[in-house]
Each structure stands twice: as structure tokens, then as C-alpha cells.
Amino acid sequence: MNNLPAPVNLHTITDNLAEAVFLVDRNKAVAWLNKKAGELFNTSTDAAQGANIIEITNVKKLDSLLDDVFEQEAELNCSYEEAAVKVKSSDQRYFFKISINPVFYDQKLWGGLVQFTDVTRFHEMEKIKTDFVSIVSHEFRTPLTTIIVGVEMLKEGMLGDLTPRGKEVLEAIGADCERLSRLIDNLMELSRIESGTIYVEAEPTDVVDLVQEAVRPLKFQAEKQGIELITDMPPNLPPVAADFNKAVWVLTNLVGNAMRYTDPGGTITVRIRQRGKRLFFSVEDTGCGIPKEDQSKIFRKYVQVSGADHKGTGGVGLGLAIAKDIVMAHGGEIWVDSEVGKGTTFTFTFPVFYAQESVSLPEADHEGG
Amino acid sequence: MAKKVLLAEDEKNVILGVRTCLDAVGYDVEIVEDGDEALNSVRREHPDLILLDLLMPKVDGYEVLKELKGNDVTKDIPIIVLTAKAEEEDRQRAMDLGAEDYMTKPFKPQELWDLLKQYLHEHSD
């Protein structure tokens, strides 16, 4: 230790920390603070000593956070969203990640070390990303209108005759326009979810209606691809507590996915079963399957996984991520079972709707694996 | 006599697309490119139906809706909003202002024809 250069001392270190640090006692009174904390909250150790940290920082949430730490004597990390703080010394709004560590003295809990990490920039970047996605998807819609209207009218022969090759090319343009539209819808949905503006309104939802609405737009396409699309559900299923449009979105997305991986002559089965207070919706295909190593990452955003036969996906890896967000927002679960060469089954659950309880939360008996 | 449809839209390419679509099934189409013109045209021509974009110069689509639906002479003309604004709150705002229907871009010609038939009370053949 004696060989260390002079600047190596507690003050040099604490004064140069990027984090604002407070040491408080069991009564939440400030005992010490570092230079950054003084700058950020327009105070100093001399001025703040003995005062309650909530008064000094104006972060009301600290009260319950400190209570939790003192009670459990455990370290607590609070994510930045929960600790959005407006610092009183300026009009600027900062976002902090707050970490609290219990401090022991003489083997007894004495107080806590409270650290504020400035994550404002990170928060702003997230917001920019979400806004950007929303603007881009909005801006894509107008030019797509001209393209789709034009293509459809040309296809119908309303603007003159086409050669067989011309028709074929138009079919391809039409199919890719559909793909772009789907992508835009998915991006919009995702930016809504990420900006926290989405919420599910769970209402009693008839399962037959839900399945019919989800499968109807895909029936024609399945027929064209030579894929058999089967629905298998017992009679008298109870209603589920679900947001109808979002539930339809999830099911349509899973069936659409299955169609992209299933060859002509294959089968896709939409199966509904009740187990206890939950309904299990599964979409089973006879496609190429998903390799084991890819199964764990398919629900992540922007992750594209090609099937075992390396067929293109025609997506950007958002559908399943959104489906997962929607299912989880209903208190349900979603998972995949797949075997290369045999096929894939996606299953998700929704709680059964009971008139007495507005939403019945799922039990812990997970059926996946 | 052909039904008169007013298209209020400021994007040239969309105008071409929608106009072609409406011409093909025999509607009499009048085009305006901002909200102010839309209001003048409605007073002058009294169309059978209005296809209304929301984001337009001078007077936006919401204002047009408010004016037309708040006026006894024009309140019964069906208005279908055609817009790139896909947020639920935009739809709700337009419907609250009295729009008969709301279609998000992009759409297919058939979807547009179906809506026109529905609000012009034409039976499909």
C-alpha cells in the first residue's frame, strides 16, 4: 500500500466517480455525499448532513426503496424507468438508475449507500428509436397505397391486357407488397408496446369467433400453397379473458409463420384444449422444424431464424417477439416444441374468463418443454 | 346518374391511384388537394360521399370533419377517412368527430369499392 502514488486516496476516487453517491443512516438522514451528488442536487456534505435524503434529492420513491433494503438487508437495483427523476436544481429532466447497498457497522445494519447512475442519454436513445420506428412505418403507408392499388388493378386486367410473364411479375410484386404491409404493421405494434402505450383490454372472448377470425384471411393462401389448414377444438369451450384483436393477431401470426415453413402437401392444425383455468392454443405444422439451438432465441426481437431446411423466413424477426409480449400481457405463456424434419408446434395460453373474477390468472403448471 | 365522390388528398400518386380505382367503377370524381378547397367544394358540389385524408395543407382532415359534421346542410354526407395514421387514438378522434368509417393506408381497391357501396347504399352485383 505504501508504494501507491499520492492521488490514490478515498477523496480522489469518490470525487471522480461518474455516479452520484450518498451514504445515509437507518433514518434516511444523509451522512456523506460525493462531489457528483453535490453538483447534481445542488448541495454539499456540510449542507446536507443530517437532512433526509428524500428532501435533498426530491426522489420520493427512495423512501420505499430504502425501506425495502433495510427490511431485507439486501442490495436493491431499481431500473431507470421506475426512478425517473427530475432534479430540482435545473429544469432538465434526468433519468437515473438507482442502486442501494445496505451498509453494516459492527455487524449490524447501519444504513445504506445510495448510487444514482445517469441513464438520461440511454433513455433518450430508446425514445428516439421508438419514435423513429413509428414515423418510418407511418411514412411507408402512403407510397404503398399507390403501389398496391396499381398492382391490384393491373392484376384484375382493369388497365389493359398483360402477358403471362407480366401477370407473374405482378403477382410477385403484390406478394412483396403484402410482406411490406405486414412488416409495417409489426413495427407499429412493436413501437406501441415499447413506448408503453399498449394495454390489453381483457374481455370475455368467444374462442370459436377468435379462431375463425384468425384463420379466415389465411385459408385462401393455404389452399393456393396446397397446405391443409385444420381447426380442432372440442365443443362448449368457455370464453377466454382476452383482447379480441390482439389475440387474433397472435394466432394469425403463428399460422402465417407455419405456412412459410410448410411445404405443399403439408398440414397445419390449430388446436384448442382446456386444462384447468387455462385454454391452450397450439399451431402445429408438418414443416421442416427448428434446430434445438435456435429454439431459445426465436422470441427475441429482430432475431431471424431460418428453418432446418434454411428456407427464407420472409420476416424481420418481430412477429414472435410481439406475440410473446401480447400473450404475457394477458397473463399467459408461449413456447415452442419442434423436431427437425417432423414439424413445429407453437403453444400459448389464455386464462379462462370467469364472470365473478374479471381475469383469472394462470396457474404455475407449465405445459411446455 | 353516376354518384359524385369528392376525394380530398394531397399526395399526387395516391390521387392517381384512387382516381383510377374510382373511374374504373364509374364514379364521378372530384379532386381537391387541401382542406380549404374540400370545404368549398362540398358547399358548391354537394357530393354523395367524401374520401378524406387527415394530413392536408391549410385545413387538416379533422377540421374538415368538424366543419362538415357540425353543419346541418352537410352533416349527412358520408365521410370515409383514408389515412396513413394507424394509431387507435387517431381513428377514435375521427370517429368521434362523426366520420362514417376509417380506412388505413395501404388498402386494396376491393376494400375501397366495398366501403363506397356500403355508404352509397348500392347493392353488389
Side-chain angles (χ1 to χ4, degrees), chain A residues 317-334:
Chain A
L318 284 177
L320 287 174
I322 297 168
K324 186 179 175 187
D325 281 341
I326 293 175
V327 170
M328 289 184 63
H330 282 85
E333 286 174 90
I334 184 166

Side-chain angles (χ1 to χ4, degrees), chain A residues 59-356:
Chain A
V59 181
K60 304 202 170 43
K61 198 173 172 64
L62 269 177
D63 207 22
S64 60
L65 292 178
L66 280 164
D67 284 342
D68 285 351
V69 172
F70 292 159
E71 216 167 275
Q72 298 165 20
E73 300 187 2
E75 180 184 349
L76 193 126
N77 280 299
C78 177
S79 77
Y80 71 94
E81 288 109 330
E82 290 170 282
V85 184
K86 191 176 179 183
V87 174
K88 57 181 173 182
S89 64
S90 76
D91 285 336
Q92 204 190 331
R93 192 180 169 83
Y94 290 95
F95 290 88
F96 291 108
K97 179 180 178 233
I98 297 174
S99 320
I100 303 174
N101 292 71
V103 171
F104 296 91
Y105 186 73
D106 241 0
Q107 293 179 329
K108 275 190 200 143
L109 181 74
W110 181 86
L113 193 73
V114 184
Q115 296 176 66
F116 292 79
T117 306
D118 188 349
V119 289
T120 311
R121 187 86 194 111
F122 175 73
H123 189 83
E124 285 169 356
M125 293 302 287
E126 280 289 304
K127 172 97 176 55
I128 289 169
K129 192 190 82 188
T130 305
D131 289 351
F132 175 75
V133 167
S134 168
I135 289 166
V136 166
S137 35
H138 176 258
E139 289 301 320
F140 275 18
R141 288 178 186 275
T142 301
L144 254 183
T145 307
T146 317
I147 302 171
I148 289 176
V149 167
V151 166
E152 289 295 317
M153 293 194 63
L154 283 164
K155 264 165 61 182
E156 294 298 318
M158 298 179 93
L159 301 173
D161 290 336
L162 281 171
T163 60
R165 175 53 69 90
K167 275 190 184 154
E168 203 183 322
V169 170
L170 268 180
E171 287 289 343
I173 298 173
D176 276 353
C177 284
E178 293 277 331
R179 191 168 143 184
L180 270 177
S181 296
R182 204 170 54 233
L183 170 63
I184 291 164
D185 287 341
N186 285 358
L187 281 171
M188 284 281 293
E189 197 69 28
L190 186 75
S191 81
R192 278 185 207 135
I193 289 171
E194 288 197 332
S195 64
T197 53
I198 201 171
Y199 67 101
V200 293
E201 234 172 307
E203 289 176 333
T205 300
D206 183 77
V207 180
V208 176
D209 285 353
L210 194 165
V211 173
Q212 272 174 357
E213 183 71 16
V215 170
R216 190 178 42 82
L218 297 167
K219 271 202 162 144
F220 174 67
Q221 185 64 28
E223 243 169 63
K224 233 165 86 180
Q225 279 181 238
I227 296 168
E228 198 181 359
L229 187 50
I230 302 167
T231 50
D232 166 17
M233 45 186 157
N236 306 323
L237 282 171
V240 283
D243 187 311
F244 185 78
N245 288 333
K246 294 192 177 74
V248 166
W249 192 95
V250 172
L251 197 53
T252 304
N253 215 268
L254 291 180
V255 177
N257 257 355
M259 278 167 54
R260 284 202 287 278
Y261 289 102
T262 304
D263 287 328
T267 308
I268 295 168
T269 311
V270 177
R271 185 170 288 125
I272 324 289
R273 293 287 182 270
Q274 182 178 5
R275 296 216 174 94
K277 292 178 175 177
R278 293 192 292 173
L279 286 197
F280 288 63
F281 294 71
S282 57
V283 177
E284 184 183 318
D285 68 48
T286 54
C288 54
I290 303 164
K292 197 98 201 148
E293 61 272 22
D294 289 335
Q295 290 178 20
S296 59
K297 50 184 181 191
I298 50 175
F299 292 105
R300 287 187 217 151
K301 277 164 207 150
Y302 305 109
V303 169
Q304 280 176 294
V305 172
S306 53
D309 65 354
H310 305 288
K311 260 172 114 176
T313 63
V316 285
L318 284 177
L320 287 174
I322 297 168
K324 186 179 175 187
D325 281 341
I326 293 175
V327 170
M328 289 184 63
H330 282 85
E333 286 174 90
I334 184 166
W335 64 92
V336 63
D337 298 294
S338 185
E339 201 175 325
V340 170
K342 290 201 167 166
T344 302
T345 304
F346 280 92
T347 307
F348 63 92
T349 63
F350 274 142
V352 167
F353 182 88
Y354 290 98
Q356 297 308 311

Side-chain angles (χ1 to χ4, degrees), chain B residues 14 42 86 106 112 114 121:
Chain B
V14 175
V42 173
L112 182 59
D114 289 348
H121 307 293

Side-chain angles (χ1 to χ4, degrees), chain A residues 134-145 184-185 188 192, chain B residues 9 11 14 52-55 62 81-87 90-91 102-107:
Chain A
S134 168
I135 289 166
V136 166
S137 35
H138 176 258
E139 289 301 320
F140 275 18
R141 288 178 186 275
T142 301
L144 254 183
T145 307
I184 291 164
D185 287 341
M188 284 281 293
R192 278 185 207 135
Chain B
E9 166 68 64
E11 287 276 344
V14 175
L52 180 69
D53 187 16
L54 288 179
L55 297 176
Y62 295 116
V81 172
L82 295 185
T83 180
K85 288 166 86 71
E87 302 290 351
D90 296 315
R91 173 191 289 269
Y102 191 100
M103 186 148 75
T104 309
K105 295 172 181 170
F107 49 83

Side-chain angles (χ1 to χ4, degrees), chain B residues 77-96:
Chain B
I77 306 173
I79 300 180
I80 300 172
V81 172
L82 295 185
T83 180
K85 288 166 86 71
E87 302 290 351
E88 186 48 40
E89 50 268 42
D90 296 315
R91 173 191 289 269
Q92 199 52 56
R93 191 174 160 203
M95 298 307 277
D96 288 348

